[in-house]
Amino acid sequence: MDRTADSGKSRGGGVCVMVNNRWCNNANVVTLACSCSPYLLLNISKTKELIVDCSKKQKRHYQSVRISGTTVKRVDSFRYLGVHISQDLSWSRHTNSLAKKASQHLHHLGHLRDFRLPSKVLRNFYTCTIESILTGNITVWFGNSTKQDRQALQRVVRSAERITQTELPDLQSINYKWCQTKARRIVKDPTHPNNRLFSLLRSGKCFCSLMTKTERLKRSFFPQAIRALNQGN
C-alpha cells in the first residue's frame, strides 16, 4: 500500500472481486474502500462494475451498485493490466486486440527487410515488438482461448515468418514453456500462496494432478502447469 500521508498520493488503480451476490452490495463496497487506507480516495468516475455469472439457469437481475449516491457504470468487459476480462470469461476480445496491435508492427518489419538487414536483426525486432505483444500474460488466457482465436494470432506469426524468412516459435510452445517456468518458480518458493497446489506423489517424480470438474478449469493455468511439469520430468 503506497497511499499514505507521506507519499502524497490519494488516487490509484486496482481491482476488487466480489465472489457472490450477497457480497455485491453498496455497504460492502463502501466498507472495502474505507478499510483499504484512510488516505485513499475512491474515484467513482473510473470505477466499473463487471458481473461474471457462469450459471446456466435463467438470467438473473442484479441491483446496480451505488457509491456516495452515484451509480457505478456496468460494463461487459474491462481492461486490467493489459488483459481484457469479459463477463463471459471468454478471450476473443483480448485476442482480437492483440492480433490487431501486433499486425501494425508487421509494416515496420517489412520496411526493415526492404533495407536488407540480416535475418538475425529482423528476428530480434520480431521478438521485442510483435512476439512480446502476442505473448503478454499468455499463461492467463491462452489455455481457454478458442481455436479461432489461436488461429488469428498464429496468422500474425506466419506473416512474420514470410517477412523474416526464418522459422519462429509458435504460441503453443511458448505458452508451454512459460507454464513450466512459472510453475518451477512457485514450487521453489514455499512462501507462495499457491505452493500447496504442487504436491508430489509418493514416487517423488511427478506432481499430483488437480481435480477439475469443468473444461474451463482444466485448461486454466495451474492444471496446465502441473501437466507441463510432469511431462518435463
Side-chain angles (χ1 to χ4, degrees):
M1 176 64 70
D2 64 345
R3 301 303 186 261
T4 61
D6 297 332
S7 68
K9 300 177 181 178
S10 61
R11 298 178 183 270
V15 62
C16 171
V17 177
M18 299 295 184
V19 295
N20 55 43
N21 191 34
R22 189 178 68 178
W23 279 92
C24 294
N25 56 62
N26 299 332
N28 283 327
V29 174
V30 175
T31 302
L32 179 67
C34 296
S35 62
C36 287
S37 172
Y39 309 104
L40 179 64
L41 298 179
L42 187 61
N43 191 338
I44 304 175
S45 63
K46 293 185 178 181
T47 303
K48 301 294 183 289
E49 179 188 10
L50 177 67
I51 297 178
V52 178
D53 189 352
C54 300
S55 175
K56 296 181 180 179
K57 300 180 181 179
Q58 186 177 1
K59 188 176 180 180
R60 304 173 184 175
H61 297 280
Y62 296 91
Q63 181 182 1
S64 299
V65 175
R66 295 176 63 87
I67 303 176
S68 301
T70 303
T71 302
V72 177
K73 183 180 180 181
R74 184 176 295 175
V75 296
D76 57 3
S77 68
F78 184 77
R79 188 170 182 266
Y80 181 68
L81 297 179
V83 178
H84 292 269
I85 304 174
S86 301
Q87 62 180 4
D88 58 354
L89 297 182
S90 65
W91 299 105
S92 295
R93 178 169 296 189
H94 179 66
T95 54
N96 290 338
S97 174
L98 294 182
K100 182 178 180 181
K101 186 176 180 180
S103 298
Q104 295 174 352
H105 292 276
L106 291 175
H107 177 71
H108 304 295
L109 185 63
H111 273 304
L112 294 178
R113 178 202 57 190
D114 295 339
F115 292 147
R116 298 183 179 181
L117 293 178
S119 297
K120 184 178 181 180
V121 176
L122 298 179
R123 179 158 183 162
N124 287 340
F125 179 85
Y126 165 81
T127 303
C128 296
T129 57
I130 300 175
E131 186 181 274
S132 61
I133 294 173
L134 296 176
T135 59
N137 299 304
I138 191 171
T139 57
V140 174
W141 54 265
F142 189 82
N144 277 300
S145 59
T146 64
K147 181 179 179 181
Q148 291 77 11
D149 295 338
R150 298 184 185 187
Q151 288 176 342
L153 297 176
Q154 198 60 39
R155 280 195 292 269
V156 180
V157 179
R158 289 197 296 267
S159 297
E161 285 181 332
R162 289 192 292 268
I163 295 174
T164 60
Q165 297 183 350
T166 58
E167 185 177 357
L168 301 172
D170 62 278
L171 299 180
Q172 179 75 41
S173 61
I174 294 176
N175 177 63
Y176 178 83
K177 177 182 177 181
W178 272 107
C179 282
Q180 276 191 328
T181 302
K182 289 182 177 293
R184 291 193 180 105
R185 291 176 183 174
I186 295 174
V187 171
K188 292 180 181 179
D189 184 7
T191 63
H192 195 283
N194 293 305
N195 177 272
R196 60 183 178 81
L197 297 178
F198 296 84
S199 57
L200 285 170
L201 297 174
R202 291 183 179 180
S203 63
K205 296 181 180 179
C206 295
F207 291 90
C208 180
S209 299
L210 298 177
M211 293 184 61
T212 55
K213 295 183 179 180
T214 62
E215 189 66 23
R216 176 180 286 130
L217 179 58
K218 182 180 179 181
R219 290 165 32 171
S220 61
F221 168 70
F222 287 107
Q224 273 195 110
I226 292 176
R227 289 195 297 269
L229 286 179
N230 291 337
Q231 292 174 5
N233 291 336

